[in-house]
Amino acid sequence: MKKIIIFLLFSSLQFSIFANEDLNDSHQNKELDVTSKIKELKERLDPMKRIGLNLAFQKEIYQLEEVMAKSGDGDVVGNGGGIVEMMFHSAYNNLPYLLEVCIQQENCNISKQEKEILKEMSEVIEININKSDKFAFIDEKYSGFFYEGPSNTPRVARTGFTDEFPIYVNIAQLYNMLDLVNMNYITALIVHEVGHQIGIEDHDFLHHLGLKVAAMARLDFKSHSFDIPGQSNYQLKVTQSEGHLKSDTFIYLKQRKHNFNISEAILSEFSCPKNYRDIQKINITNVRQTSSAIFLKDFISELEIEVHMECFDSLEGMSYSAKKAESFQFVFWNQENNEKLFKFAKRIPSKN
């Protein structure tokens, strides 16, 4: 908790230092860029209000911890071995894949502005995903902590307006409604709370955004990755529904926080025999490097991508299943600091 207080005090000092520099052109442009990305929101919390709300929330946490200490329950902790607690950790771990699908594909039916917000959420989740205290599951006897404002209904979860705070979960309430609790519900709830952590106060907006992301959880998306030899900073990642439908398959190169969508470049190069319609299902089974070279400032890696695909002719009622491999050239810009920046990928024409 000391870390949170230091963060809040630093934020307050930082805001006071820069408050008189709002007329600076670059600062103004940055603020305009941010607001242009969140047109769906009535407003984003201004820095001073955000700091004030965080300090008030911190005070509530101190009061909660004092009550718990007097009861002999010790500090607020984030562990718990019950089924609901396990579902929270599982949903949080699965969120990076769901957010990538929503950001890069059209499945989530979200706007450009909502995509930018999901990108912010993704960064917060990446920061907190390995923290043991990202959740604090609060016992029923302390449920008063979840009554916020004039409402007579306790909230299911609460957090502050910075990722320094855990997500506090009203675990007793969730167990009391266990028949209604599933991964979709918890996914939407976490998206809602992470939205608060990036500075969004609008509950209604976050509720609907959470539902859009949770809808993807119903497709049971899984993700796996392939290392690219000689490219330690890159991984070829594949996210797709359990049924391996081509329409639900997303392929991208991941480099730290950057993702390069190469789905179309790869998937468009695999096709069915002439007598069959388009591919219905496709599954990448192997990736191997066949060669690499440096040409001028480019680092070129040739990869062979092997897939298992299924085609179907609805008119004849015939199906076709086969393994197929295609070779692709991945081109990276070899920068002066030896870091390689991805440029493009293209299929290498067959020599046959």
Side-chain angles (χ1 to χ4, degrees):
M1 291 306 173
K2 289 181 179 178
K3 183 170 68 172
I4 297 175
I5 285 293
I6 293 170
F7 172 82
L8 295 175
L9 290 175
F10 175 76
S11 299
S12 179
L13 177 61
Q14 190 178 45
F15 177 81
S16 64
I17 291 172
F18 289 103
N20 293 324
E21 297 182 9
D22 284 346
L23 296 180
N24 179 277
D25 289 340
S26 62
H27 181 70
Q28 277 190 316
N29 290 337
K30 185 177 180 181
E31 291 298 316
L32 288 171
D33 287 342
V34 171
T35 52
S36 70
K37 293 175 183 176
I38 51 171
K39 290 178 181 177
E40 290 90 348
L41 295 176
K42 294 177 182 177
E43 60 180 1
R44 193 101 176 223
L45 282 172
D46 68 73
M48 284 307 293
K49 184 177 180 181
R50 189 173 178 180
I51 291 166
L53 289 172
N54 281 333
L55 289 171
F57 187 59
Q58 180 64 68
K59 184 177 179 180
E60 290 186 64
I61 294 170
Y62 277 147
Q63 292 170 343
L64 172 66
E65 290 178 335
E66 286 179 5
V67 174
M68 292 182 71
K70 289 178 182 178
S71 301
D73 288 333
D75 294 332
V76 174
V77 293
N79 55 6
I83 184 170
V84 175
E85 291 93 329
M86 291 173 65
M87 288 171 73
F88 266 90
H89 287 287
S90 178
Y92 201 97
N93 290 337
N94 200 42
L95 259 179
Y97 310 135
L98 296 181
L99 294 183
E100 283 302 332
V101 172
C102 282
I103 291 167
Q104 301 288 352
Q105 293 189 329
E106 303 302 322
N107 306 53
C108 278
N109 191 30
I110 60 174
S111 67
K112 290 181 180 180
Q113 291 76 26
E114 287 172 319
K115 282 187 180 183
E116 295 302 322
I117 289 168
L118 291 184
K119 287 178 183 178
E120 286 187 65
M121 291 185 183
S122 185
E123 291 177 5
V124 167
I125 290 167
E126 187 171 333
I127 291 170
N128 288 335
I129 197 164
N130 293 319
K131 291 183 180 178
S132 60
D133 60 349
K134 58 182 173 285
F135 296 114
F137 301 106
I138 307 301
D139 191 80
E140 183 175 15
K141 54 186 172 181
Y142 308 111
S143 60
F145 175 77
F146 294 96
Y147 286 87
E148 186 179 13
S151 174
N152 292 322
T153 305
R155 299 189 63 79
V156 177
R158 291 185 68 189
T159 191
F161 292 100
T162 168
D163 57 48
E164 295 288 327
F165 286 109
I167 295 173
Y168 293 83
V169 180
N170 191 346
I171 197 66
Q173 184 174 347
L174 288 172
Y175 273 108
N176 288 336
M177 49 186 273
L178 193 56
D179 290 344
L180 302 175
V181 175
N182 55 35
M183 290 296 286
N184 299 330
Y185 177 91
I186 290 175
T187 296
L189 185 63
I190 293 173
V191 170
H192 186 125
E193 297 306 314
V194 174
H196 288 319
Q197 290 179 336
I198 66 170
I200 297 174
E201 190 176 23
D202 190 332
H203 290 287
D204 187 57
F205 171 82
L206 292 176
H207 170 73
H208 286 93
L209 184 57
L211 291 178
K212 290 180 181 180
V213 176
M216 299 304 294
R218 295 191 187 98
L219 297 178
D220 193 21
F221 275 85
K222 303 295 182 184
S223 183
H224 54 283
S225 59
F226 299 92
D227 292 328
I228 298 180
Q231 295 290 330
S232 59
N233 291 331
Y234 285 88
Q235 278 190 319
L236 185 73
K237 298 186 74 72
V238 182
T239 299
Q240 60 186 168
S241 63
E242 191 174 24
H244 298 153
L245 294 176
K246 182 182 177 183
S247 58
D248 292 331
T249 298
F250 170 48
I251 307 171
Y252 59 100
L253 273 180
K254 182 174 179 63
Q255 182 204 31
R256 298 189 184 94
K257 294 182 180 181
H258 302 290
N259 298 303
F260 303 94
N261 187 353
I262 56 172
S263 301
E264 180 64 22
I266 303 299
L267 295 177
S268 63
E269 299 296 344
F270 291 92
S271 59
C272 297
K274 291 181 179 179
N275 297 334
Y276 293 85
R277 296 179 182 272
D278 290 339
I279 298 171
Q280 279 194 324
K281 297 182 180 182
I282 191 165
N283 183 31
I284 294 181
T285 55
N286 191 33
V287 176
R288 69 184 187 92
Q289 181 173 268
T290 55
S291 67
S292 64
I294 295 176
F295 179 73
L296 298 178
K297 289 189 175 182
D298 286 341
F299 178 87
I300 301 170
S301 178
E302 293 189 0
L303 301 179
E304 183 182 77
I305 299 177
E306 184 180 82
V307 306
H308 180 268
M309 62 184 193
E310 292 184 23
C311 307
F312 184 73
D313 189 331
S314 58
L315 295 177
E316 300 292 335
M318 300 171 60
S319 62
Y320 170 85
S321 177
K323 283 188 176 181
K324 189 175 182 180
E326 293 283 1
S327 294
F328 294 85
Q329 192 177 75
F330 285 71
V331 180
F332 303 83
W333 178 35
N334 201 17
Q335 300 182 90
E336 291 182 1
N337 60 1
N338 207 33
E339 185 172 344
K340 298 173 177 64
L341 182 67
F342 176 69
K343 293 174 69 175
F344 62 87
K346 66 177 182 179
R347 186 177 75 89
I348 302 172
S350 175
K351 296 179 181 179
N352 296 334

